[in-house]
């Protein structure tokens, strides 16, 4: 396939990259006064990219540029969610950034660039494109973390993120170079062939462990999670909302493809590593969250725990397992976006509050918001009839099928600990005496986003979860 | 086993009718102006409360009438198999939305729909704040409880079973009583502690059920209950699966030693919450044993039966003794519930027809009697605002009607012949006797103990001098309370003298269950 022919399959990426550049130029030319228009244009671009990804001409899947990028059902599934999550991140930030006098035009442009990087991550089927996609995304995210550049917390968060992110990139690169050295290629299929033929895979395994460490950092799985709470807390809240959603899915998609496509033969080698990371993440996420008083830190630990559950599916290493990961991540992202929309609504006298105690008695002072948060938190805890429960069900199912019953039992038992801190938030909202009220204006994008995500938590259309499962199953099949 | 399809989705209608009511309550509040704190004006608030109460009563009554009509018109008690079956594809690959009833579950549905209007009536005046939310929680609760008893898909069952934690958690936590308690270094109201304990105990039990369910799905390729009941799991696999199911249901029943959440939950819950908890929620565990443990894991059930008997006997004797020492009326009745549910588990795992029918009957009768006892305590609590036994005495002089009703239910709780409680205890003990006479012997001592604590409670509350100043002007039961307690009394009395109608409904399904159970054990080689 020639270069130009390959480009025809890269509609979404081209839209984001070229569109992002154009918006950047426009912003530089007109200044911050047009930041709103640029936001709207960015959302439109993301929607177009979403449509282009959904109706990609790739069909069963094509490999581009000597098979270093692959457009298939798996990447399409991931991209649709990534673009939607990025679009919501821009929409949700609007009011906050205006309120904090941060309405710079770079914000939507950076989100576009990171979405571009994430899109590459979902498609990368070569260690080099993988690294490029990862860095394209990460560099944009480092800047976003420090977006409130006059705030010490924000710059500290960005710096921490950058230093640790650079370290993890080093680990990943080192691992990639080892893999290249022992297999003679950076392309996934070639590595798979080399791995299948190799008599001694020790070198590959060592390389793979480094790559896993680097990837675990990106999905913020324990023991590589240290940066998460600080970055979540320090970054401006809409940025945190963005961090918690789309990049997690992109990294998880990349994680799955990197483990399955080249190293499917070696599943037994990497399965224990992933299983241990999963258990560690669930433990850290559940136990550390109990003591938190800041809701953003709570969400950070919650996301660490949830990555642990998603990794259970990955540890299974089967088609059902990858499908479960995708379902889990899709549900997780809807919950997270909804929860952050609610957090962004916790405004008092024009400023955001982040303390869990401020939610006290919310059910009496602001019943709609309390109901939405209750649904979302019970869903995060994985209690039926809410969607989070279905995510857990598919993950456990995959683990049991792969003979990892112990991992499913561990996940189930730890989920009780996690339930404790989720329902702590619920009891603060329902049982405690009311704290001073929030601003009552819950209209606009935030209110709609929050309500919509809470509604999606209920199987309103019972077939909805069934459809999601079908799509995820088709997507997962593309990797095998 | 045969399955008879329903002409119309009757069970879904019964199940989701209360949910519709729950949605109407906030809808009825829309459009009323609120101030900056989210509060309505006092007049609007009382209006909205009244509407909420009436909606709740109307929908629970409608559900009751509908369930009775469906039972009379469409349910054939002579058939052993599942009836009124409806099935819609849900998650694909063998996980379906499937509802259906048989002789084991139908009466629980009727019990639920019957108890609910009484619960709403019981809360009519005693709930003072957030009435709309309260009624919503109860209506949602009803949907989930009916769903538990009518689900014919394990996944769907779990869905309802676990979902019922959320409304009950809120009912205990928001409308529970006062007082504080230290837990995990945090000073918290004891109602929050009780709600939390209830939630976490039950959740810990049932997450293991979730994993077991995943395994069963992996093995059998479906979560369809009739299919699973025919599916033969290997004996060693059965052991693990049985234990996982046991963890879940034993907490719910509750069996000793995982019963400790129940007294806390009962004491803290509002009266109607206690009634639901005792009358229906506990039955979910007993129902689960009968629906899943016995038919799906017969070999493991048989192997573990001695364990269950041991725990049941401890529950019957030990918790009865604990009940003797209680100073809080609700706690006393809560412990007596644990003892009575001990008879249920004992009868269930005897694997005999008498034992299983007795267990079912005991659950039904316990639904009426313990529900009524909690209502009786609620009557006093509404007037004097304490549940301390020591705070009462001599009430018979001021409250003759109440004294009569309370005596009736107290004796019924102690298993007096002529009241439904006797039939259940007698049958379960017969069943246990057929299995092993010593078990029946020990269980029978529990009956004596239950008379001891019941009569002690009655003597201290009702007899003696009416000397406490707060009690001198205590009014007797009013018409609303008389209606609630009178209906329950009529049922308990009717079933006590004439248990046949209920037993006739049970017996075809129980026969089939026991037959299959014995055959599986014989094949498994005991």
């Amino acid at each position: 396939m020639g270069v130009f022919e390959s480009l025809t399959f890269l509609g979404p990426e081209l839209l984001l990259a070229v569109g992002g550049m154009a918006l950047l130029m426009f912003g530089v030319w007109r200044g911050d006064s047009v930041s709103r228009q640029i936001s709207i244009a960015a959302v439109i671009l993301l929607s177009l990219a979403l449509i282009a990804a959904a109706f990609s001409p790739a069909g069963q899947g094509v490999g581009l540029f000597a098979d270093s990028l692959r457009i298939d059902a798996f990447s399409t599934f991931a991209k649709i969610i990534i673009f939607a999550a990025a679009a919501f991140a821009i929409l949700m930030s609007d009011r906050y950034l205006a309120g904090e006098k941060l309405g710079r035009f770079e914000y939507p442009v950076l989100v576009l660039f990171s979405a571009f990087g994430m899109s590459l991550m979902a498609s990368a089927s070569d260690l080099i494109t993988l690294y490029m996609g990862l860095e394209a995304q990460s560099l944009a995210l480092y800047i976003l973390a420090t977006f409130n550049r006059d705030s010490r917390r924000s710059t500290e968060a960005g710096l921490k993120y950058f230093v640790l992110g650079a370290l993890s990139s080093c680990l990943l690169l080192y691992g990639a170079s080892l893999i290249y050295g022992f297999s003679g290629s950076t392309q996934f299929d070639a590595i798979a062939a080399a791995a299948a033929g190799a008599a001694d895979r020790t070198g590959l395994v060592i390389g793979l462990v480094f790559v896993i460490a680097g990837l675990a950092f990106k999905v913020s799985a324990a023991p590589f999670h240290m940066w998460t709470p600080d970055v979540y807390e320090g970054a401006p809240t809409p940025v945190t909302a963005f961090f918690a959603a789309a990049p997690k899915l992109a990294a998880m998609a990349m994680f799955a493809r990197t483990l399955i496509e080249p190293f499917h033969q070696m599943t037994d080698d990497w399965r224990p590593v992933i299983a241990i990371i999963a258990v560690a993440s669930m433990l850290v996420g559940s136990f550390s969250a109990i003591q938190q008083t800041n809701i953003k830190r709570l969400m950070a630990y919650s996301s660490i725990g949830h990555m642990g559950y998603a990794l259970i599916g990955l540890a299974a290493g089967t088609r059902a397992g990858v499908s479960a990961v995708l379902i889990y991540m899709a549900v997780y992202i809807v919950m997270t976006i909804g929860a952050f929309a609610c957090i962004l609504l916790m405004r008092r006298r024009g400023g955001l509050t982040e303390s869990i105690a401020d939610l006290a008695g919310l059910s009496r002072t602001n019943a709609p918001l309390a109901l939405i948060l209750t649904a979302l938190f019970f869903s995060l805890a994985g209690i039926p009839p809410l969607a989070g429960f279905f995510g857990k069900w598919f993950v456990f199912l995959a683990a049991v099928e792969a003979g990892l019953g112990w991992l499913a039992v561990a996940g189930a038992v730890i989920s009780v600990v996690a339930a404790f801190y989720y329902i702590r938030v619920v009891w603060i909202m329902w049982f405690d005496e009311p704290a001073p009220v929030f601003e009552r204006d819950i209209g606009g994008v935030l209110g709609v986003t929050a309500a919509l995500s809470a509604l999606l938590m209920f199987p309103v259309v019972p077939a909805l979860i069934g459809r999601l499962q079908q799509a995820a199953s088709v997507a997962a099949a593309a990797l095998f | 086993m045969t399955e008879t399809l329903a002409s119309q989705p009757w069970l879904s209608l019964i199940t989701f009718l209360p949910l519709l009511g729950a949605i109407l309550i906030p809808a009825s509040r829309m459009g009323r102006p609120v101030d900056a704190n989210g509060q309505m004006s006092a007049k609007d608030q009382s209006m909205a409360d009244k509407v909420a109460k009436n909606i709740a009563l109307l929908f629970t009554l409608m559900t009751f009438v509908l369930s009775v009509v469906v039972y009379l018109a469409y349910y054939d008690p002579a058939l052993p198999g599942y009836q009124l079956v409806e099935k819609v594809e849900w998650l694909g690959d063998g996980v379906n939305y499937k509802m259906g009833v048989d002789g084991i579950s139908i009466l629980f549905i009727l019990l639920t729909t019957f108890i609910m209007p009484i619960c709403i009536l019981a809360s009519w005046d005693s709930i003072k704040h957030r009435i709309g939310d309260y009624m919503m929680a109860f209506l949602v609760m009803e949907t989930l409880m009916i769903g538990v008893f009518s689900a014919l898909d394990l996944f769907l069952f779990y869905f309802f079973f676990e979902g019922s934690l959320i409304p009950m958690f809120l009912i205990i936590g928001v409308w529970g009583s006062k007082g504080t308690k230290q837990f995990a270094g945090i000073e918290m109201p004891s109602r929050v502690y009780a709600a939390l304990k209830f939630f976490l105990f039950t959740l810990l039990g049932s997450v293991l059920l979730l994993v077991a369910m995943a395994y069963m799905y992996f093995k059998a390729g479906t979560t369809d209950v009739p299919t699973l009941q025919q599916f033969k799991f290997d004996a060693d696999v059965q052991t693990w699966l049985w234990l996982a199911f046991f963890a879940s249901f034993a907490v719910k029943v509750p069996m000793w030693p995982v019963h400790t959440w129940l007294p806390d939950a009962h004491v803290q819950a509002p009266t109607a919450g206690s009634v639901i908890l005792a009358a229906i929620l506990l039955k979910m565990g007993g129902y689960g044993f009968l629906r899943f443990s016995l038919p799906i894991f017969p070999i493991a059930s048989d192997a573990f039966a001695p364990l269950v008997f041991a725990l049941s006997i401890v529950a019957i004797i030990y918790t009865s003794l604990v009940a003797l020492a209680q100073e809080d009326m609700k706690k006393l009745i809560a412990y007596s519930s644990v003892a009575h549910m001990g008879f249920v588990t004992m009868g269930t795992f005897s694997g005999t027809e008498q034992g299983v029918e007795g267990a079912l009957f005991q659950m039904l009768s316990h639904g009426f009697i313990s529900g009524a006892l909690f209502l009786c305590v609620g009557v006093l609590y509404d007037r004097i605002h304490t549940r301390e036994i020591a705070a009462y005495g001599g009430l018979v002089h001021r409250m003759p009607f109440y004294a009569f009703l309370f005596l009736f239910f107290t004796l019924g709780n102690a298993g007096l012949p002529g009241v439904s409680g006797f039939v259940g205890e007698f049958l379960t003990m017969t069943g246990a006797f057929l299995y092993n006479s010593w078990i029946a012997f020990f269980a029978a001592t529990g009956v004596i103990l239950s008379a001891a604590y019941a009569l002690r409670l009655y003597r201290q509350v009702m007899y003696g001098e009416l000397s406490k100043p707060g009690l001198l002007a205590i009014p007797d039961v009013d018409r609303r309370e008389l209606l609630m307690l009178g209906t329950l009394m009529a049922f308990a009395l009717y079933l006590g003298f004439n248990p046949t109608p209920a037993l006739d409904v049970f017996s075809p399904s129980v026969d089939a269950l026991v037959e299959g159970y014995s055959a599986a054990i014989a094949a498994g080689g005991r």
Side-chain angles (χ1 to χ4, degrees):
Chain A
M1 204 183 285
V3 171
F4 287 103
E5 202 184 336
S6 296
L7 285 177
T8 56
F9 292 102
L10 282 180
E13 287 79 1
L14 287 176
L15 265 174
L16 292 178
V18 177
M21 299 281 194
L23 287 181
L24 185 62
M25 292 303 167
F26 182 63
V28 171
W29 176 46
R30 296 288 305 270
D32 285 338
S33 58
V34 291
S35 58
R36 253 205 99 99
Q37 287 85 324
I38 290 183
S39 288
I40 293 166
V43 171
I44 293 172
L45 270 177
L46 281 165
S47 317
L48 288 176
L50 194 156
I51 294 167
F55 297 98
S56 162
Q60 284 299 309
V62 289
L64 308 177
F65 307 114
D67 229 4
S68 63
L69 277 179
R70 201 164 287 158
I71 315 289
D72 51 20
F74 182 81
S75 70
T76 304
F77 185 96
K79 278 177 202 171
I80 289 174
I81 296 178
I82 289 168
F83 296 154
F88 273 105
I90 296 176
L91 287 171
M92 280 162 49
S93 64
D94 199 41
R95 191 163 111 185
Y96 173 88
L97 295 179
E100 303 277 315
K101 311 256 179 315
L102 288 174
R104 296 203 192 87
F105 69 88
E106 289 96 336
Y107 181 83
V109 174
L110 284 167
V111 173
L112 282 183
F113 286 152
S114 70
F116 166 74
M118 289 184 240
S119 173
L120 289 185
M121 285 160 74
S123 285
S125 61
D126 184 299
L127 291 172
I128 294 177
T129 42
L130 178 149
Y131 187 72
M132 275 168 41
L134 190 63
E135 287 304 294
Q137 173 231 22
S138 298
L139 285 172
L141 292 187
Y142 299 146
I143 307 171
L144 280 174
T146 57
F147 200 69
N148 190 359
R149 64 186 177 207
D150 296 328
S151 145
R152 275 182 62 181
R153 280 207 314 178
S154 179
T155 41
E156 182 193 325
L159 192 63
K160 261 183 193 158
Y161 191 25
F162 174 69
V163 172
L164 289 171
L167 181 69
S168 82
S169 293
C170 290
L171 288 177
L172 195 139
L173 267 186
Y174 183 58
S177 67
L178 280 176
I179 291 172
Y180 173 66
F182 281 97
S183 68
S185 175
T186 55
Q187 206 281 325
F188 284 178
D189 288 342
I191 297 175
D200 181 12
R201 292 174 182 161
T202 317
L204 277 179
V205 171
I206 294 175
L208 183 57
V209 168
F210 278 104
V211 170
I212 289 176
L215 292 174
F217 177 92
K218 298 296 175 193
V219 296
S220 72
F224 308 99
H225 63 282
M226 316 301 190
W227 58 276
T228 322
D230 292 338
V231 173
Y232 270 45
E233 188 187 1
T237 310
V239 176
T240 312
F242 180 54
F243 277 8
K248 288 276 166 26
L249 174 68
M252 195 55 91
M254 183 173 75
F255 210 151
R257 197 189 282 274
T258 312
L259 286 184
I260 303 291
E261 279 192 349
F263 298 109
H264 188 55
Q265 302 284 334
M266 294 163 56
T267 304
D268 290 337
D269 291 318
W270 52 258
R271 178 179 281 156
V273 182
I274 301 296
I276 289 167
I277 292 180
V279 173
S281 306
M282 292 187 293
L283 283 172
V284 166
S286 309
F287 282 97
S288 310
I290 294 174
Q291 297 295 330
Q292 302 308 319
T293 53
N294 179 302
I295 192 147
K296 281 161 78 179
R297 284 186 86 86
L298 181 95
M299 289 304 292
Y301 284 108
S302 146
S303 89
I304 295 169
H306 280 289
M307 289 310 119
Y309 284 97
L311 286 173
I312 291 181
L314 192 53
T318 56
R319 186 179 153 185
V322 175
S323 163
V325 173
L326 292 177
I327 298 171
Y328 199 94
M329 292 306 295
V331 174
Y332 164 78
I333 281 178
V334 177
M335 295 189 289
T336 310
I337 290 180
F340 274 101
C342 293
I343 294 171
L344 283 164
L345 283 169
M346 294 167 55
R347 303 174 67 84
R348 200 174 280 160
R349 290 180 300 280
L352 277 182
T353 62
E354 294 174 2
S355 161
I356 295 172
D358 285 329
L359 288 168
L362 190 68
S363 67
R364 266 181 273 181
T365 54
N366 195 340
L369 189 60
L371 274 176
I372 289 170
L373 264 178
T374 305
L376 289 169
F377 271 78
F378 273 121
S379 182
L380 283 165
I383 309 289
L386 301 153
F389 162 68
F390 291 91
K392 288 218 165 61
W393 160 250
F394 285 114
V395 167
F396 291 160
L397 197 60
V400 168
E401 281 179 2
L404 291 171
W406 67 272
L407 193 54
V409 172
V413 172
I414 298 172
S415 78
V416 179
V417 180
F420 173 77
Y421 69 79
Y422 290 124
I423 65 173
R424 186 165 74 101
V425 178
V426 173
W427 103 51
I428 286 172
M429 287 191 295
W430 286 84
F431 305 166
D432 286 2
E433 290 305 311
V437 294
F438 299 132
E439 289 175 15
R440 285 199 60 78
D441 171 25
I442 67 159
V445 183
L446 290 175
V448 172
T449 309
L452 201 65
S453 62
L455 207 58
L456 280 174
M457 287 304 106
F458 293 95
V460 259
V461 190
L464 209 62
I465 294 278
R467 288 292 293 277
L468 176 65
Q469 189 220 354
Q470 278 167 12
S473 178
V474 171
L479 292 193
F480 289 91
Chain B
M1 225 187 284
T2 53
E3 292 178 20
T4 321
L5 291 177
S7 55
Q8 301 292 328
W10 292 119
L11 285 173
S12 300
L13 207 60
I14 297 173
T15 307
F16 292 105
L17 190 61
L19 190 66
L20 179 67
I23 295 169
L24 282 183
I25 287 176
S28 74
R29 274 190 285 191
M30 267 182 193
R32 292 182 199 276
V34 289
D35 65 13
N37 287 338
Q39 310 300 327
M40 288 186 255
S41 68
K43 192 164 146 259
D44 274 2
Q45 185 68 51
S46 76
M47 190 64 208
D49 289 347
K50 206 173 275 175
V51 171
K53 282 194 237 179
N54 284 318
I55 289 180
L57 187 62
L58 181 71
F59 272 83
T60 49
L61 280 176
M62 272 166 43
T63 314
F64 176 56
V65 171
L66 181 68
S67 63
V68 170
V69 168
V70 168
Y71 170 69
L72 293 177
Y74 297 100
Y75 183 81
D76 180 0
L79 295 178
Y82 296 107
Q83 305 181 36
L84 298 171
V85 173
E86 29 188 294
K87 185 172 169 183
V88 181
E89 185 144 324
W90 190 19
L91 296 187
D93 300 335
V95 181
N96 298 306
Y97 172 86
K98 185 173 178 185
M99 308 279 260
V101 286
D102 66 354
I104 293 174
S105 51
I106 181 77
L107 289 186
F108 285 114
I109 295 176
L110 291 174
L111 177 71
T112 309
T113 58
F114 168 72
I115 293 284
M116 283 310 294
I118 294 182
C119 286
I120 303 293
L121 276 180
S123 325
W124 207 258
D125 294 328
S126 57
I127 298 298
K128 304 268 188 256
H129 66 296
R130 305 171 76 180
I131 294 167
D133 297 348
Y134 181 87
M135 296 297 163
M136 271 171 75
F138 269 79
L139 288 169
V140 170
M141 194 76 207
E142 181 172 15
T143 287
L144 295 170
M145 290 187 301
I146 301 175
V148 164
F149 293 122
S150 43
L152 269 195
D153 186 285
L154 183 54
F155 189 82
L156 187 66
F157 169 84
Y158 188 84
F159 187 79
F160 287 124
F161 186 78
E162 277 287 277
S164 65
L165 291 184
I166 299 175
M168 199 63 208
F169 173 73
L170 294 177
I171 288 170
I172 298 175
V174 178
W175 295 277
S177 42
K178 296 184 179 63
T180 57
K181 176 146 189 148
Q182 283 276 342
F183 175 66
I186 316 171
E187 172 95 7
M188 59 169 78
S190 34
R191 63 192 154 85
V192 175
Y193 170 78
L196 200 59
K197 197 169 172 185
F198 161 77
F199 194 97
L200 294 180
F201 259 69
T202 327
L203 185 64
L204 184 60
S206 42
V207 286
L208 296 174
L209 173 61
L210 180 66
V211 179
M213 187 163 83
Y215 184 81
M216 287 161 75
Y217 175 74
F218 164 55
K219 279 287 172 196
T222 180
T223 51
D224 182 61
V225 172
T227 315
L228 287 175
Q229 288 174 341
Q230 301 302 318
F231 192 87
K232 299 211 167 19
F233 290 97
D234 295 338
D236 51 334
V237 170
Q238 279 195 21
T239 307
W240 292 106
L241 295 178
W242 188 91
L243 284 172
F245 276 67
F246 181 71
S248 174
F249 298 144
V251 171
K252 204 84 179 183
V253 165
M255 292 176 75
W256 184 86
V258 283
H259 66 284
T260 56
W261 61 270
L262 185 73
D264 280 312
H266 266 315
V267 168
Q268 297 302 328
T271 302
S274 288
V275 174
I276 294 206
L277 202 57
I280 302 157
L281 234 56
L282 303 191
K283 309 305 183 281
M284 290 181 183
Y287 171 76
F289 281 134
L290 283 170
R291 178 64 84 224
F292 303 108
S293 299
L294 237 46
I296 304 184
F297 318 120
I299 297 171
S301 295
D302 186 50
F304 280 111
L307 170 75
V308 175
F309 287 130
L311 295 181
S312 305
I313 297 290
V314 174
I316 293 171
I317 296 178
Y318 168 78
T319 51
S320 296
L321 288 172
V322 173
L324 262 175
Q326 293 309 310
E327 284 160 6
D328 181 310
M329 286 193 271
K330 268 190 160 179
K331 252 194 176 149
L332 189 149
I333 303 171
Y335 279 111
S336 98
S337 283
V338 179
H340 282 105
M341 293 307 283
F343 283 100
V344 173
T345 46
M346 182 180 78
T348 304
F349 281 89
S350 73
T352 58
E353 206 184 310
Q354 291 87 340
V356 173
E357 284 192 9
L360 282 166
F361 199 89
Q362 171 80 347
M363 285 198 267
L364 208 57
S365 134
H366 184 256
F368 295 125
I369 292 176
S370 73
L373 278 173
F374 279 113
L375 286 176
C376 286
V377 176
V379 167
L380 290 185
Y381 187 78
D382 286 346
R383 286 166 172 70
I384 312 292
H385 298 291
T386 176
R387 294 176 309 261
E388 290 278 313
I389 296 174
Y392 295 96
L395 290 181
V396 71
H397 303 297
R398 283 286 307 169
M399 309 175 75
F401 284 106
Y402 178 75
F404 172 70
L405 290 164
F406 194 36
L407 180 66
F408 176 82
F409 291 117
T410 310
L411 291 177
N413 198 35
L416 184 78
V419 185
S420 58
F422 171 72
V423 184
E425 285 181 5
F426 181 75
L427 281 173
T428 49
M429 275 195 279
T430 316
F433 194 86
L434 291 175
Y435 188 91
N436 181 331
S437 51
W438 281 102
I439 299 168
F441 170 76
F442 282 117
T445 61
V447 179
I448 302 170
L449 288 171
S450 76
Y453 64 69
L455 293 175
R456 170 183 162 261
L457 171 70
Y458 194 77
R459 178 177 60 81
Q460 293 193 347
V461 173
M462 287 301 172
Y463 293 147
E465 285 294 303
L466 184 67
S467 55
K468 309 240 166 34
L471 303 177
L472 291 175
I474 191 169
D476 205 346
V477 282
D478 59 23
R479 263 185 302 176
R480 177 178 61 90
E481 290 156 346
L482 202 60
L483 176 70
M484 300 183 312
L485 293 169
T487 347
L488 287 168
M489 181 171 141
F491 272 93
L493 209 56
Y494 175 70
L495 286 177
F497 276 103
N498 186 14
T500 325
L503 293 177
D504 281 348
V505 177
F506 296 147
S507 65
S509 305
V510 171
D511 283 349
L513 169 71
V514 170
E515 229 165 77
Y517 180 65
S518 326
I521 294 170
R526 177 160 65 160

